[in-house]
Amino acid sequence: VNDIVIWGSTFPPDISDETLDAARGRIRIHFIIGTDDEYLTVSQIEKESETLRMRGFDSRVFVYEGNHNITNEGLDYIASI
C-alpha cells in the first residue's frame, strides 16, 4: 500500500475516475488540515474524505491547531504513517 499525503488541499480534481478506480485498495489517502486554514475548512476536507471512503478508499483526516502552515504536528503525523 502506498500513502498519499494531501496537506491543506483537496484531492486533485484532474485525476480521472479510471485512474482513481485503478488505485483502489492500493493507496491510503491522508488529508492534513489546520483548524484555521485560510483556504479550506475542516468540514470540507472531512466531506471529501468521506466521499472517497464511500468509493472504497482508505481515507483519513488529520486536523491540527493552526492555519495553512506546515507544522511539527503534521510532520509527526506523516512520520507515523
Side-chain angles (χ1 to χ4, degrees):
V1 173
N2 295 304
D3 294 285
I4 296 175
V5 175
I6 301 172
W7 194 311
S9 183
T10 59
F11 196 85
D14 57 337
I15 295 179
S16 70
D17 285 342
E18 294 82 18
T19 300
L20 193 56
D21 289 340
R24 186 180 296 119
R26 299 183 326 178
I27 62 171
R28 285 185 297 238
I29 303 165
H30 304 266
F31 291 94
I32 302 176
I33 184 79
T35 54
D36 298 316
D37 193 293
E38 301 95 304
Y39 306 102
L40 298 165
T41 65
V42 171
S43 62
Q44 285 174 290
I45 295 302
E46 288 173 340
K47 182 178 178 182
E48 183 156 335
S49 181
E50 178 61 25
T51 299
L52 287 165
R53 281 193 297 275
M54 289 172 39
R55 289 184 68 180
F57 288 90
D58 182 351
S59 180
R60 305 165 188 197
V61 177
F62 177 80
V63 180
Y64 62 89
E65 291 290 322
N67 56 19
H68 196 71
N69 294 332
I70 294 175
T71 65
N72 287 335
E73 290 172 287
L75 293 174
D76 289 343
Y77 174 77
I78 293 170
S80 74
I81 56 177

